[in-house]
Amino acid sequence: MIKFLDLQKINLTHQDEIEKKLSHVFRSGWYLMGQELSAFESSLSQYIGTKHTIGVANGLDALRLILRGYIEMGIMQKGDEILVPSNTYIASILAISDNGLVPVFVEPDINNYNIDIAKIEENITSKTKGILIVHLYGRTVFSDKLKDFAEKYQLKIIEDNAQAIGAEWKGKKTGNLGDAAGFSFYPGKNLGALGDAGAVTTNDENLAKIIRALANYGSDQKYINIYQGLNSRLDEIQAAVLGVKLKYIDEENSTRKKIARKYISKISNPKIILPLFPTDENEHVWHLFVIRVQNREKLQEYLTENGIQTLIHYPIPPHKQKAYKEWNSLSFPISEKIHEEVLSLPISPVMTEEETDKVIEIVNRF
Ligand SMILES: *Cc1c(COP(=O)(O)O)cnc(C)c1O
């Protein structure tokens, strides 16, 4: 069977280095807020190009903490609006609503599944304080126009970079395009930990200080609490593992890119709509290879029968979720179409040529 994502194989690629690190942390007797965390934070800052990185417990917390930081700074307050794509993973929306902010859904561009920047301005009101862009499936979304809107209306640009570590825009890394960015190192992400982990990157020193305190009970000095914070830390074990894997992210992303290129050039089936390869190939790190097809269930069943595992990212748009009853009756036809038709094919840094060829052959026979 061709697995959707062979995590075991991915991590075994770095077995010796990771096991050495695990043993080192285990023997050190120091498990939180130590050298592994500082070292990983510095490496990630250097890789992304930002002045600050704060390791946190997961990707959702990273986004929650950014918005909470802006609330503590007085830049946002409860009831303010944040523009967000209507076809994202639920965590982007949870981060907004959890802070008492209001998500305002903006339809995506059907050609790249990212927020349609041309539809941003019409959604801005006097309450709009930020835009949460999501580099969905690993594809960068950014433009000079977006920067202009943010400047003109004094909006913070927050990047949900959970799926796009290593992607770029005009030579700059995602995570360094807006005012602050949230990363997830959930095991299945391009840079995955051995459990939950996340980070915030920013060039804003004040925001960085506040988030660091917020993530540590709202304390910047032991037993002195300046905010009603939470406990959201990146532990030494995860930081150590991430430090090892970060060294190989470019190599691994480039393997994903090769597979995506092959899929796009060799898959030929009139029933299937393929993703587009961006003109600047650095604008995509292919976290997911997402195709669209009218009778998705049939294709998925056929692929399963032929030994190919697929997943759906994601079957239900956020506004149709039971958790958000108040928005269930809203209509976002492009998002709804996407959520109805998408199917993700296997892609990973450990997929072999033979496996890629087999997927192509079987998909073409459908
Ligand atoms: C994975 C993901 C998150 C959440 O990250 P966790 O580490 O699972 O909390 C947020 N946004 C997007 C787009 C994601 O894919």
Side-chain angles (χ1 to χ4, degrees):
M1 196 201 35
I2 299 175
K3 284 191 185 169
F4 179 73
L5 183 72
D6 193 341
L7 272 183
Q8 188 183 38
K9 194 170 170 192
I10 290 174
N11 287 326
L12 282 174
T13 314
H14 315 293
Q15 181 173 12
D16 290 350
E17 252 184 296
I18 289 176
E19 285 184 347
K20 225 155 120 194
K21 276 286 187 188
L22 291 176
S23 164
H24 173 77
V25 175
F26 172 67
R27 285 159 189 246
S28 75
W30 193 277
Y31 306 113
L32 282 167
M33 312 285 255
Q35 285 173 4
E36 296 297 339
L37 176 63
S38 322
F40 175 65
E41 287 179 341
S42 307
S43 308
L44 191 64
S45 288
Q46 195 168 25
Y47 180 73
I48 299 298
T50 50
K51 290 199 191 107
H52 309 281
T53 295
I54 304 107
V56 299
N58 55 66
L60 173 57
D61 274 6
L63 296 168
R64 284 168 70 202
L65 283 161
I66 292 167
L67 294 167
R68 176 73 190 280
Y70 284 132
I71 291 173
E72 295 294 348
M73 288 165 87
I75 290 170
M76 293 175 187
Q77 52 182 328
K78 289 192 193 305
D80 282 343
E81 295 170 359
I82 307 292
L83 305 185
V84 65
S86 45
N87 65 319
T88 181
Y89 179 56
I90 196 76
S92 323
I93 312 300
L94 290 171
I96 298 171
S97 62
D98 180 68
N99 274 295
L101 298 162
V102 181
V104 172
F105 299 112
V106 180
E107 283 264 64
D109 180 337
I110 190 82
N111 295 308
N112 58 34
Y113 310 125
N114 273 327
I115 193 166
D116 189 343
I117 292 171
K119 290 184 186 139
I120 283 185
E121 198 167 24
E122 69 199 53
N123 282 288
I124 295 174
T125 72
S126 60
K127 288 203 154 186
T128 313
K129 292 292 158 60
I131 309 172
L132 179 59
I133 55 173
V134 184
H135 306 295
L136 200 67
Y137 306 149
R139 176 156 187 164
T140 309
V141 57
F142 208 76
S143 74
D144 289 314
K145 210 167 175 182
L146 178 70
K147 262 202 315 208
D148 293 344
F149 289 144
E151 229 163 87
K152 183 170 163 196
Y153 297 99
Q154 298 204 322
L155 311 176
K156 293 292 180 192
I157 298 178
I158 300 131
E159 294 172 77
D160 181 339
N161 201 30
Q163 301 191 356
I165 185 167
E168 294 182 359
W169 182 74
K170 293 189 179 173
K172 225 174 172 187
K173 289 266 186 324
T174 56
N176 190 21
L177 303 176
D179 295 285
F183 290 67
S184 166
F185 308 119
Y186 174 82
K189 297 289 159 75
N190 284 26
L191 178 62
L194 304 182
D196 277 314
V200 172
T201 56
T202 182
N203 289 309
D204 183 336
E205 189 176 351
N206 195 21
L207 179 70
K209 251 168 74 181
I210 292 171
I211 289 175
R212 204 173 275 289
L214 280 171
N216 188 34
Y217 314 109
S219 166
D220 63 346
Q221 246 178 300
K222 206 164 188 180
Y223 305 129
I224 311 236
N225 298 80
I226 41 179
Y227 310 108
Q228 295 173 20
L230 48 141
N231 174 357
S232 183
R233 296 184 292 227
L234 175 55
D235 67 67
E236 289 289 283
I237 292 261
Q238 301 306 338
V241 171
L242 291 167
V244 170
K245 291 182 74 179
L246 180 60
K247 295 188 286 179
Y248 303 101
I249 189 71
D250 286 343
E251 199 182 312
E252 295 189 351
N253 280 344
S254 99
T255 307
R256 288 173 180 272
K257 207 172 288 179
K258 254 188 230 150
I259 295 167
R261 207 180 264 291
K262 194 164 190 187
Y263 275 162
I264 289 172
S265 65
K266 297 273 171 68
I267 293 178
S268 163
N269 186 324
K271 299 190 191 82
I272 289 169
I273 299 169
L274 293 168
L276 297 172
F277 212 89
T279 318
D280 175 356
E281 64 164 23
N282 297 322
E283 286 185 11
H284 211 322
V285 292
W286 301 97
H287 171 55
L288 297 169
F289 190 91
V290 178
I291 61 172
R292 265 177 37 235
V293 59
Q294 292 272 324
N295 36 5
R296 171 174 70 192
E297 275 64 37
K298 243 176 148 174
L299 175 58
Q300 189 170 37
E301 220 178 84
Y302 161 84
L303 292 175
T304 307
E305 278 164 13
N306 284 279
I308 297 168
Q309 202 181 21
T310 56
L311 289 174
I312 295 167
H313 299 90
Y314 301 91
I316 305 171
H319 72 278
K320 291 287 185 196
Q321 296 284 358
K322 203 172 157 191
Y324 291 119
K325 281 192 219 57
E326 61 274 41
W327 301 315
N328 284 176
S329 59
L330 296 181
S331 161
F332 297 99
I334 300 172
S335 282
E336 284 156 30
K337 184 179 171 65
I338 291 171
H339 287 267
E340 249 172 56
E341 296 181 351
V342 288
L343 188 69
S344 307
L345 298 183
I347 191 164
S348 89
V350 294
M351 234 182 124
T352 63
E353 291 255 2
E354 296 77 62
E355 287 173 325
T356 313
D357 290 340
K358 189 171 168 212
V359 172
I360 293 166
E361 186 203 314
I362 291 171
V363 168
N364 284 346
R365 266 200 277 126
F366 174 65

